[in-house]
Amino acid sequence: MPAPRTILLTGAAGGVGTLMRELLPKYGYELRLLDLVPVEGAPDAITADLGDPADADVIREAVRGVDAIVHLAGISLEASFAKILHANIQGTYNLYEAAREEGVARVIFASSNHAIGFTPRPLGDDPLVPVGTPHRPDTFYGLSKSFGEDLAQFYWDKHGLETVSLRIGSCFLEPTSVRMLSLWLSPADGARLIHAALTADDVKHTVVYGSSANTRVWWDLAPARALGYEPRDDSEPYAAELIAKHGELDPDDPETARMGGHFTTRPPIWPH
Ligand code: NAI
Ligand code: 15L
């Protein structure tokens, strides 16, 4: 695919969005920003609720003429099913419909490790977890990411709209837990991964894991590398301090035995 230039970045006011607003222009992209809330320092950013049909015209105008969409917007932690339904399920559907109607070629979808959160983490010599592992969402939030991946597959099969679904681990400036030593996606590697996903040829719908080249990685990064992603960071320099503080992960503790960590053990948020 010729390098896309104008990108719609949804969720631009959020944590990852703020990091990517800084990093992606270095790859030559012009960003059009969208969020539910105003984006600090960006008066031209589009304010819209992706889940609200009343904002359909604004959303359609936002996608008009862009080469691709980096879709980060949504609720990024567990919430009631009603809230997840609105922001993550209805919102992602509304965005894809606008993209289809406007002929946008590709979406980069911020999926999450919580789509497979109940998958046991590999121990010892266990193989790295492949992208083909079945969905095992650990929350309504994770369920919405499983839905997003299926929606992406459907829009490719039915409409020829391409997506790279990034099953992101933990994208923050630094890892802050022992679990994150395995899942960390440094912001710089996050931008490398998004750039690779935007520029790789013929992706159809591809699911990849989003982590750095962590010594303690749990995931098979080969599909991401096949897109041209070359991670440069490793969480290992943070390991000694985090392990001294929190201890090693306990394979017999349900909270640390599975990919999703505490997302797997917390009770659902009621009411639905
Ligand atoms: P965040 O919560 O900081 O940012 C999400 C942004 O989406 C917010 O600015 C919010 O206002 C916006 N938003 C929420 N509902 C919206 C709606 N209905 N319409 C328009 N905008 C809406 O989340 P963060 O950490 O920046 O994550 C970005 C994306 O990446 C999310 O989709 C999240 O699920 C996903 N992700 C993030 C990970 C991480 O480590 N930060 C890990 C895995 C996935
Ligand atoms: C996610 O999907 C969340 O959006 C992020 O805030 C972190 O909790 C991350 O997963 C994680 O599992 O560390």
Side-chain angles (χ1 to χ4, degrees):
M1 177 176 184
R5 299 282 308 168
T6 304
I7 305 298
L8 174 67
L9 182 71
T10 75
V16 179
T18 300
L19 294 163
M20 294 307 134
R21 276 193 280 135
E22 171 92 19
L23 292 166
L24 289 177
K26 295 176 184 164
Y27 290 85
Y29 298 114
E30 285 169 24
L31 300 182
R32 193 182 288 180
L33 309 178
L34 181 148
D35 204 290
L36 184 61
V37 299
V39 181
E40 207 182 311
D44 293 342
I46 301 155
T47 303
D49 179 349
L50 290 177
D52 187 348
D55 283 352
D57 290 345
V58 185
I59 296 163
R60 186 142 176 197
E61 202 175 319
V63 306
R64 189 167 296 144
V66 300
D67 297 298
I69 299 170
V70 176
H71 178 39
L72 305 178
I75 294 173
S76 59
L77 296 167
E78 182 60 323
S80 71
F81 183 72
K83 286 184 179 165
I84 294 286
L85 177 65
H86 178 88
N88 293 18
I89 296 180
Q90 187 74 52
T92 300
Y93 164 77
N94 289 348
L95 183 69
Y96 268 79
E97 265 303 284
R100 180 188 66 77
E101 286 173 341
E102 291 298 329
V104 177
R106 187 174 295 183
V107 176
I108 311 307
F109 169 58
S111 183
S112 169
N113 70 86
H114 297 289
I116 54 150
F118 268 110
T119 308
R121 67 182 172 84
L123 296 171
D125 292 335
D126 290 350
L128 296 172
V129 175
V131 289
T133 198
H135 283 156
R136 295 184 69 176
D138 55 26
T139 40
F140 296 132
Y141 166 66
L143 194 60
S144 75
K145 296 301 184 179
S146 299
F147 169 83
E149 291 184 11
D150 273 355
L151 185 83
Q153 184 66 49
F154 170 72
Y155 271 79
W156 164 251
D157 286 330
K158 194 89 171 178
H159 302 298
L161 169 49
E162 291 193 319
T163 296
V164 180
S165 291
L166 310 178
R167 260 182 217 157
I168 302 171
S170 304
C171 185
F172 300 98
L173 289 174
E174 294 183 0
T176 55
S177 68
V178 176
R179 171 176 168 271
M180 280 192 195
L181 294 172
S182 299
L183 271 65
W184 188 49
L185 176 66
S186 74
D189 279 343
R192 286 183 191 107
L193 180 57
I194 290 173
H195 177 57
L198 284 167
T199 51
D201 285 330
D202 195 25
V203 298
K204 303 181 176 68
H205 175 227
T206 300
V207 181
V208 302
Y209 288 115
S211 82
S212 287
N214 300 318
T215 300
R216 294 159 198 258
V217 69
W218 292 337
W219 298 330
D220 178 8
L221 296 183
R225 290 181 187 277
L227 296 177
Y229 172 54
E230 290 179 19
R232 294 195 198 154
D233 295 318
D234 183 344
S235 62
E236 206 53 20
Y238 301 95
E241 192 180 334
L242 285 169
I243 291 167
K245 195 167 167 193
H246 304 290
E248 291 276 6
L249 297 180
D250 177 358
D252 296 323
D253 179 350
E255 184 161 315
T256 53
R258 296 168 299 208
M259 302 265 170
H262 63 280
F263 282 57
T264 64
T265 49
R266 65 170 52 158
I269 293 179
W270 312 104
H272 294 286

